Amino acid sequence: MQNDFYKLFEHLNRNEPRTRLYGRIIKRIELEQGKTSVYTRIVFFGVLASVAMIALIPAVQELYAEFVQSGFIQFVSLLFSDTGVIALYWQDFLMSLAETLPVFGIMGVAASMFIMLLSTRYLLSDLRSVMGRSHLAHS
C-alpha cells in the first residue's frame, strides 16, 4: 500500500514557488513584528500626552497664583499708569520685574507643554506610519 502512494506522488507535477515569494514573506514577517512595537509606542505616547495635558491645568493655575502673589502684575500695570516714572527709573523697574517673575511656575508650564507637544508629535508620526502601512497592506 505504501508503494502505491509513492507511485502516485511520483507522477504529480511539482509546482515551484515564485522567485520573489521568499522576499515577500520575510517583508511581511518584519512588518508584523514592527507593528507590535509601533502599537506599544502609540499607547505610550498617547498616555504621556494625556498626562502632560492633564498636568498642564494645575501648572497654569499655580503660575497664575505665583503671578498674583509675587506682585508681578502690579509692576506690569505700572507700564500703563506711570510711564514717565518708569522711563526715569527703567533699570530699577526691570530689576523689580526680574525679581518678581515666577520662574518655577513658568518652568512647570513650559515643561508640561514641551512634553505634551513632543509626545503628540511622536504619537501622530506613529499613527501616520500605521495608517500608511495598513493602507499599503490592503492594496
Side-chain angles (χ1 to χ4, degrees), residues 26-43:
I26 295 300
K27 283 182 184 178
R28 183 65 183 186
I29 291 171
E30 290 173 352
L31 178 69
E32 292 298 323
Q33 288 174 343
K35 276 185 182 179
T36 57
S37 67
V38 169
Y39 289 137
T40 304
R41 285 173 46 105
I42 287 173
V43 169

Side-chain angles (χ1 to χ4, degrees), residues 4-130:
D4 292 337
F5 284 120
Y6 287 129
K7 287 180 184 177
L8 176 67
F9 288 120
E10 282 179 2
H11 295 295
L12 289 177
N13 291 333
R14 293 186 182 186
N15 292 334
E16 293 295 321
R18 296 181 200 162
T19 57
R20 295 182 299 183
L21 182 62
Y22 178 75
R24 291 180 67 189
I25 291 172
I26 295 300
K27 283 182 184 178
R28 183 65 183 186
I29 291 171
E30 290 173 352
L31 178 69
E32 292 298 323
Q33 288 174 343
K35 276 185 182 179
T36 57
S37 67
V38 169
Y39 289 137
T40 304
R41 285 173 46 105
I42 287 173
V43 169
F44 174 74
F45 287 122
V47 169
L48 186 62
S50 300
V51 168
M53 193 179 308
I54 291 169
L56 189 61
I57 295 168
V60 169
Q61 290 173 343
E62 181 63 28
L63 177 64
Y64 178 74
E66 286 183 23
F67 269 124
V68 171
Q69 187 179 13
S70 68
F72 184 82
I73 294 175
Q74 284 82 10
F75 282 117
V76 171
S77 69
L78 287 175
L79 281 171
F80 303 106
S81 62
D82 295 329
T83 312
V85 174
I86 291 175
L88 189 59
Y89 300 107
W90 65 273
Q91 292 173 335
D92 294 328
F93 177 73
L94 289 179
M95 187 61 80
S96 298
L97 281 179
E99 287 177 356
T100 59
L101 189 66
V103 177
F104 290 114
I106 292 172
M107 286 175 37
V109 169
S112 294
M113 287 183 68
F114 178 74
I115 291 170
M116 182 186 67
L117 292 174
L118 192 64
S119 59
T120 303
R121 174 184 172 208
Y122 288 133
L123 174 67
L124 292 176
S125 173
D126 288 340
L127 284 173
R128 196 174 305 123
S129 72
V130 167

